[in-house]
Amino acid sequence: MRAPKNGRITQFTDRPVVFLRKDHPLLQQKWSLENFLASSQISMVWEANDTRALDSLLEDEGLKREVPIMVAMLRAGAAYCLPVGP
């Protein structure tokens, strides 16, 4: 492993991934940060007060995303997206 110019070694990376259903309205729009941030999101966290790297980066830019639902497992987040009804 090669040390970067600042002398620090990256131990892991956090790559944001977005999952959308095939008919999600966002897929009808141009994919942009503005459209992404305008949509409510479900976030996977390890602890209730956990801050994701993405949120820290957005905060540095004066931006914020709306995350009304936080779950500990991806499967739990998917359950919120299922249709309700008969």
Side-chain angles (χ1 to χ4, degrees):
M1 190 177 336
R2 219 172 50 180
K5 292 180 183 178
N6 64 6
R8 297 180 182 181
I9 296 174
T10 301
Q11 294 179 335
F12 63 91
T13 58
D14 189 3
R15 180 178 163 207
V17 177
V18 176
F19 293 95
L20 300 169
R21 66 180 191 271
K22 291 179 183 181
D23 63 341
H24 195 283
L26 269 180
L27 295 175
Q28 304 304 317
Q29 302 173 23
K30 179 181 176 186
W31 188 250
S32 68
L33 181 59
E34 292 78 20
N35 288 337
F36 170 71
L37 295 177
S39 298
S40 295
Q41 301 171 25
I42 298 172
S43 185
M44 195 170 90
V45 295
W46 301 112
E47 297 180 17
N49 62 350
D50 192 12
T51 301
R52 307 306 309 159
L54 174 60
D55 295 311
S56 296
L57 291 170
L58 290 171
E59 187 177 317
D60 289 347
E61 297 295 321
L63 302 169
K64 186 176 180 179
R65 62 187 182 132
E66 183 182 340
V67 185
I69 300 172
M70 292 187 284
V71 296
M73 298 183 319
L74 186 59
R75 182 174 282 189
Y80 281 99
C81 300
L82 294 174
V84 179

